[in-house]
Amino acid sequence: MHRDPPTALVVDRESDATQALIAFLRGRGFEVVWAKDGEGAFSALDDGASVDCLVSELRSPRIDGMALLARALERNPVMCAVMMTDGPDSEMAIDAMRRGAHDFQVRPLHLEKLLAVLERGLAQQKLSARVADLEGRLDERFGLERLHGHSRALQRVIEQVRHIASTRASVLIEGEPGTGKGVVAQAIHQNSARKQGPFVSVDCESVPESLIESELFGIQPPSSAGTQARPGRVELAEGGTLFLDGVAALPPLVQVALLHLVQERTFSRIGAREPLRADVRLIAATHRDLADEVKAGHFREDLFYRLGVVRVQMPALRERREDIPLLVDAFVRQFNREHNRRVTGITRGALERLTGHDWPGNVRELKNAVEGMVVFAEGRRPLNLSDLPDALREGARETDPLDVAIGMTVGEAERHLISATLRHTGNDKTRAAAMLGIGLRTLYRKLKQYGMS
């Protein structure tokens, strides 16, 4: 999706016509970046400039328009690209359009026609962004289905989400890192009347203290500076939800400004004289105990109570171990799709090992562990103990009972041992033979002997 105002990269040799084109686009509200040769254009794209439109010479001694078009579409697949030439060339025009150009124009340019093409391309970008956003919302299915589990602790959280989502109340989500605070914040937003508005997230702990105020509230440069104001996250969240993750990390002056936002529904950009009104719902999250932060003088007590009109406590994964099988199943299916794997599930022994672990990193740590297991799993089989991360595999042993009893024959005991080993390896006979210390041909002979083939 393009920014407002949109940015156009003009790539053309220095001439009066080029300057007229640049002046025309700026007069129609575009920010224009000009490159007089291919090297400058590639640099503009590779330096991370956000470009919405490309207007470029197709072929000249210092400009390879086709190569530039390809690079531009790599950077922004929905970029609106218009290629220019000094004379008609239907073959090149068709080739350029086939490679993703929106239009092909012959000099002297008809500037109004060019503007119409650019505006149509920008409208398509907006539509693409809306479709992608809608697909994302539908895929989340209002967010609640991403909270996997039937434990009482998690069901209590889900009930809270259902009750508070339709209100305007500020919400404080507390819990250890990795417990899913961001997922709950999104679920509240998706189930609210603001779900059509933006959900804007800020990780307060990752933004340097010197930049967090401008990140949240934006900058209003002096009129003499000749530069445009930069909106902050509060403005970007207008009509929607602003999620402040790691809110305990906010410095004192920013806490004061945030308190004003909560109480008065107004804020001020840095350098601005007049405040702006804000229609945003605030959801904050923290892994620290904010009550302790207040007692220590690190967090404002009035802001604590304003943010925590409603408080949701996320349970640690070790407090809801019964949800681990559901989480593992969901993650296996997710990573099968993402990594083109064919994992069919997980053995009981491996699942028991996962369930017995304390998971200090909570759901996030479990998710990362399952992803690694799925990535390295080959073939169509379940995950087993040998797939576990090293820290979990050390000392692990398959817990499937062997059903070996006194009075049983050696053959019967051997049959049970082979069966348990095959379950452990997901029926991987090569690995089973190695674990049993016998050859593969011997294993096949015994399988046939015991009627297990």
Side-chain angles (χ1 to χ4, degrees):
M1 182 175 179
H2 72 78
R3 301 178 304 165
D4 189 15
T7 298
L9 173 60
V10 174
V11 187
D12 201 2
R13 54 189 177 270
E14 188 168 2
S15 68
D16 291 342
T18 300
Q19 294 307 314
L21 169 60
I22 292 172
F24 174 81
L25 291 176
R26 284 176 175 160
R28 297 303 189 275
F30 285 80
E31 288 187 1
V32 179
V33 177
W34 174 44
K36 60 183 178 181
D37 55 28
E39 182 179 354
F42 280 110
S43 296
L45 291 170
D46 293 341
D47 286 346
S50 179
V51 177
D52 306 297
C53 305
L54 170 69
V55 181
S56 173
E57 167 72 66
L58 182 56
R59 184 170 57 185
S60 72
R62 301 187 65 186
I63 299 173
D64 182 346
M66 289 299 192
L68 184 59
L69 173 64
R71 180 69 62 85
L73 293 176
E74 284 179 8
R75 297 292 182 266
N76 180 2
V78 293
M79 184 180 297
C80 177
V82 177
M83 313 307 290
M84 306 178 293
T85 65
D86 291 319
D89 189 331
S90 59
E91 186 175 338
M92 288 198 70
I94 293 172
D95 193 22
M97 301 284 280
R98 185 184 298 118
R99 297 190 190 193
H102 277 63
D103 199 12
F104 180 90
Q105 298 199 5
V106 179
R107 291 191 183 90
L109 296 179
H110 188 301
L111 295 180
E112 291 296 340
K113 178 183 176 183
L114 172 65
L115 178 64
V117 173
L118 296 180
E119 288 180 339
R120 186 167 66 248
L122 292 174
Q124 290 175 358
Q125 290 182 30
K126 283 186 177 180
L127 180 61
S128 297
R130 284 182 180 177
V131 170
D133 181 62
L134 178 60
E135 288 176 346
R137 293 175 190 273
L138 291 174
D139 186 57
E140 287 179 0
R141 291 178 295 175
F142 303 110
L144 290 174
E145 280 73 10
R146 296 174 63 197
L147 297 170
H148 301 285
H150 298 307
S151 64
R152 292 181 61 183
L154 186 64
Q155 290 304 309
R156 183 168 61 250
V157 170
I158 292 174
E159 281 303 309
Q160 286 181 294
V161 169
R162 290 194 174 114
H163 278 90
I164 66 182
S166 60
T167 73
R168 292 188 52 145
S170 299
V171 182
L172 178 62
I173 307 173
E174 301 168 289
E176 296 178 9
T179 49
K181 297 185 289 294
V183 173
V184 169
Q186 290 182 1
I188 293 172
H189 173 75
Q190 294 289 356
N191 286 271
S192 74
R194 295 173 174 267
K195 63 185 179 182
Q196 300 302 327
F199 177 85
V200 177
S201 177
V202 184
D203 185 350
C204 302
E205 293 183 329
S206 67
V207 180
E209 186 172 320
S210 60
L211 299 178
I212 186 64
E213 184 178 7
S214 62
E215 184 71 18
L216 288 175
F217 302 111
I219 299 175
Q220 182 71 53
S223 57
S224 60
T227 57
Q228 293 188 333
R230 182 172 70 79
R233 299 296 182 93
V234 173
E235 287 179 81
L236 296 177
E238 180 69 17
T241 302
L242 178 64
F243 175 49
L244 301 178
D245 197 9
V247 70
L250 292 178
L253 288 178
V254 179
Q255 292 181 33
V256 173
L258 184 61
L259 177 63
H260 192 78
L261 174 65
V262 176
Q263 291 179 327
E264 307 298 332
R265 300 287 175 182
T266 63
F267 70 98
S268 296
R269 292 173 176 166
I270 296 176
R273 295 181 179 179
E274 298 295 329
L276 298 172
R277 294 205 61 81
D279 176 23
V280 298
R281 182 185 192 170
L282 277 174
I283 301 179
T286 178
H287 60 86
R288 304 184 201 175
D289 189 322
L290 273 194
D292 288 345
E293 295 293 311
V294 169
K295 292 177 183 176
H298 299 151
F299 202 83
R300 293 183 63 98
E301 184 175 19
D302 46 5
L303 180 58
F304 170 52
Y305 288 117
R306 284 287 186 174
L307 291 177
V309 172
V310 176
R311 296 169 68 178
V312 176
Q313 182 65 47
M314 293 299 298
L317 188 55
R318 62 183 174 277
E319 296 170 357
R320 56 182 189 105
R321 296 180 190 273
E322 61 267 43
D323 291 337
I324 290 179
L326 284 173
L327 287 164
V328 171
D329 179 66
F331 294 151
V332 165
R333 286 187 280 109
Q334 174 185 342
F335 295 126
N336 270 342
R337 291 192 303 270
E338 292 184 10
H339 301 298
N340 194 28
R341 291 293 185 264
R342 296 182 297 160
V343 173
T344 59
I346 187 168
T347 66
R348 186 169 66 182
L351 184 59
E352 287 178 356
R353 191 70 179 181
L354 295 179
T355 305
H357 187 59
D358 278 345
W359 300 108
N362 293 291
V363 177
R364 184 185 300 130
E365 182 186 1
L366 173 64
K367 184 177 182 179
N368 291 340
V370 174
E371 181 173 17
M373 295 167 71
V374 171
V375 165
F376 286 105
E378 296 182 356
R380 186 177 181 84
R381 65 173 180 84
L383 300 173
N384 54 58
L385 282 171
S386 66
D387 295 306
L388 293 173
D390 292 342
L392 290 174
R393 193 168 61 245
E394 291 176 2
R397 61 183 181 86
E398 182 63 69
T399 56
D400 283 350
L402 293 180
D403 295 329
V404 176
I406 294 176
M408 183 179 290
T409 66
V410 172
E412 289 172 330
E414 186 177 55
R415 183 182 187 282
H416 283 293
L417 178 60
I418 292 173
S419 178
T421 304
L422 286 170
R423 285 197 302 272
H424 168 74
T425 63
N427 207 39
D428 186 331
K429 296 181 177 60
T430 301
R431 291 178 58 208
M435 292 181 67
L436 292 166
I438 59 178
L440 185 59
R441 291 179 62 185
T442 301
L443 175 61
Y444 275 106
R445 179 173 54 79
K446 290 184 177 293
L447 290 174
K448 184 176 182 180
Q449 175 185 341
Y450 297 129
M452 301 167 62
S453 57

